[in-house]
Amino acid sequence: MKLIIAIVQDEDSDNLVKILNKNDFKVTKISSTGGFLKSGNVTLLSGIEDEEKDRFMEILEENSRTREVKRTIQPINIPGQAMIPVPITVKVGGATIFVIDVFDFKKF
Ligand code: 2BA
């Protein structure tokens, strides 16, 4: 058995959960925040059988879009220099996925 931890964009998450459920995958959706952009994303947790991994990955790949996000970031405070916010554009996603071998699984 595997535990999939997938960090996806908020905009893709409802559709992803719907499609995963339709394909008989059980999913837990957790609201999370990216450390770099400090904006909301979604972490999906799913316990799956080993042989289901490829299908799961396919669904994530087909339904997670890469997007360009514009933000202004505060530069590091250097004494004597003005703190002018810097505009940046970063590519986010589609999905960041960790696959973990499950040692034990119980449901009561
Ligand atoms: P954030 O940390 O908010 O990162 C958003 C995007 O900003 C990243 O997209 C990446 O393109 C860029 N980025 C992140 N750190 C950077 C840095 N130090 N310098 C320049 N650009 C940087 P993704 O790579 O697609 O990541 C999307 C979200 O997935 C991340 O949001 C984070 O929440 C999560 N994530 C990505 N890699 C991870 C990892 N190795 N471990 C844990 N979480 C991860």
Side-chain angles (χ1 to χ4, degrees):
M1 189 179 199
K2 309 266 187 227
L3 173 66
I4 309 281
I5 303 174
I7 302 158
V8 301
Q9 292 181 59
D10 217 5
E11 294 91 327
D12 294 327
S13 64
D14 282 348
N15 188 43
L16 267 167
V17 171
K18 202 167 79 187
I19 294 169
L20 288 167
N21 282 166
K22 214 184 260 179
N23 281 268
D24 291 329
F25 291 113
K26 295 182 175 74
V27 185
T28 298
K29 190 178 157 185
I30 301 173
S31 297
S32 44
T33 304
F36 185 68
L37 292 177
K38 296 180 178 49
S39 58
N41 53 27
V42 169
T43 300
L44 302 178
L45 299 183
S46 189
I48 64 169
E49 297 306 325
D50 290 4
E51 60 276 13
E52 294 175 323
K53 194 187 112 195
D54 290 346
R55 178 76 195 118
F56 195 98
M57 291 294 185
E58 260 174 40
I59 293 172
L60 284 184
E61 194 173 349
E62 284 165 11
N63 296 283
S64 306
R65 272 184 51 204
T66 300
R67 293 181 179 85
E68 286 206 331
V69 177
K70 289 185 201 310
R71 287 281 187 286
T72 50
I73 57 164
Q74 206 67 36
I76 299 164
N77 189 4
I78 301 168
Q81 286 195 8
M83 294 268 289
I84 301 164
V86 180
I88 55 162
T89 303
V90 285
K91 272 195 181 150
V92 185
T96 301
I97 306 161
F98 301 89
V99 181
I100 298 166
D101 281 324
V102 174
F103 175 70
D104 198 5
F105 169 73
K106 285 195 176 50
K107 221 170 158 182
F108 297 108

